[in-house]
Amino acid sequence: MNAANPIGVFDSGVGGLSVLHEIRRALPGEDLLYVADSAHAPYGDKSQQFIEDRSVAITEFLVSRNAKAIVVACNTATGAAITTLRSRFSMPIIAMEPAVKPASENSKSGVIGVLATSRTLASDNFVKLFARYGADVEILGQACPGLVEQVEAGDLSGDKTRILLERYVLPLLERGADTLVLGCTHYPFLAPLIRQIAGPGVAVIDSAAAVARQLRRRLEVADLLANGARVGGESCWTSGAVDKALPLFAQLWKADVEVCALPTYAGGSE
């Protein structure tokens, strides 16, 4: 393993770009590889075995591209596959975890809402979080079917997206939530609209920056940080249609980025 090798990041789709933004901010000298498994999004309605198989296949692809660390930038994939990935691969593998801890520490009302996929909310990881931090606060889990699809379509503020968010957010506010945890990496792209709906008195938080910090710590411990003087680049792949991915990546990354077709051996449509 070489410090000059890239970092691999993957998600069920484009949501993990919200994590990639924070990794780029924290580690400007690193080369980043990103895979959006958009042909199979959303993961929230897939079986655990399917998600495990996709996570292993994508990680193997990233390893073939000499990734020195893997970031599973997907809460659903973390819940379904992180144990399998860590048992199969020896490099640092960084997982997502909904920001329940900081939310519970900072809530004044003692009620926090967690917006996530149904599979994330049912995962062992979330059950453990609930048990660990739910003694002093009330944790309200809210499954949000349809939101991933809206982000994958690039609809971050349209009427359908607003109606869905109001359906999921307003009942949490009615029950006293003063903090909303974004438990899916797609949802930070909806944060401006969520804040409009929730109002200024409600905190909206996610764990992307914490994941980037954890990645940096793991690389430091393993002596795998890239030379700080260099400027890193990004290489991106999608298992979906490249012509649809290009404008969506540009919209969410806020810059033009080259997107290639994921090879068929990794489950792509190339």
Side-chain angles (χ1 to χ4, degrees), residues 48-69:
Q48 176 165 332
Q49 189 61 57
F50 181 89
I51 299 167
E52 279 190 18
D53 291 345
R54 293 302 304 135
S55 297
V56 169
I58 293 169
T59 299
E60 287 176 341
F61 169 74
L62 292 169
V63 169
S64 77
R65 307 291 297 193
N66 299 315
K68 63 185 177 184

Side-chain angles (χ1 to χ4, degrees), residues 56-250:
V56 169
I58 293 169
T59 299
E60 287 176 341
F61 169 74
L62 292 169
V63 169
S64 77
R65 307 291 297 193
N66 299 315
K68 63 185 177 184
I70 301 293
V71 178
V72 185
C74 175
N75 287 273
T76 301
T78 290
I82 195 64
T83 300
T84 297
L85 293 179
R86 286 176 171 162
S87 71
R88 292 197 183 195
F89 301 96
S90 59
M91 77 278 292
I93 298 181
I94 314 303
M96 297 299 299
E97 179 176 282
V100 172
K101 179 182 179 181
S104 64
E105 291 172 345
N106 293 300
S107 172
K108 294 180 174 61
S109 70
V111 182
I112 66 174
V114 181
L115 304 170
T117 68
S118 56
R119 182 162 287 281
T120 292
L121 294 174
S123 69
D124 289 342
N125 284 8
F126 186 77
V127 171
K128 290 175 183 175
L129 280 176
F130 188 95
R132 193 179 310 150
Y133 302 113
D136 298 322
V137 296
E138 184 179 6
I139 301 173
L140 307 175
Q142 175 62 63
C144 301
L147 288 187
V148 168
E149 291 90 334
Q150 292 304 102
V151 176
E152 290 288 318
D155 184 353
L156 308 184
S157 59
D159 290 343
K160 183 177 179 180
T161 303
R162 176 179 285 274
I163 289 168
L164 284 172
L165 282 172
E166 288 176 346
R167 181 186 304 165
Y168 301 140
V169 169
L170 293 179
L172 298 175
L173 304 184
E174 290 168 2
R175 294 181 63 181
D178 69 347
T179 306
L180 299 177
V181 175
L182 305 183
C184 171
T185 56
H186 283 75
Y187 300 172
F189 292 114
L190 303 174
L193 185 53
I194 292 171
R195 290 190 175 97
Q196 281 184 28
I197 293 168
V202 176
V204 179
I205 63 175
D206 68 83
S207 55
V211 168
R213 291 193 297 270
Q214 174 67 358
L215 172 62
R216 183 181 183 91
R217 284 193 292 267
R218 293 288 299 278
L219 293 177
E220 286 174 339
V221 168
D223 197 24
L224 287 175
L225 274 178
N227 186 323
R230 70 188 301 277
V231 177
E234 301 85 33
S235 300
C236 300
W237 291 264
T238 180
S239 62
V242 171
D243 60 339
K244 293 181 179 178
L246 285 169
L248 183 57
F249 271 67

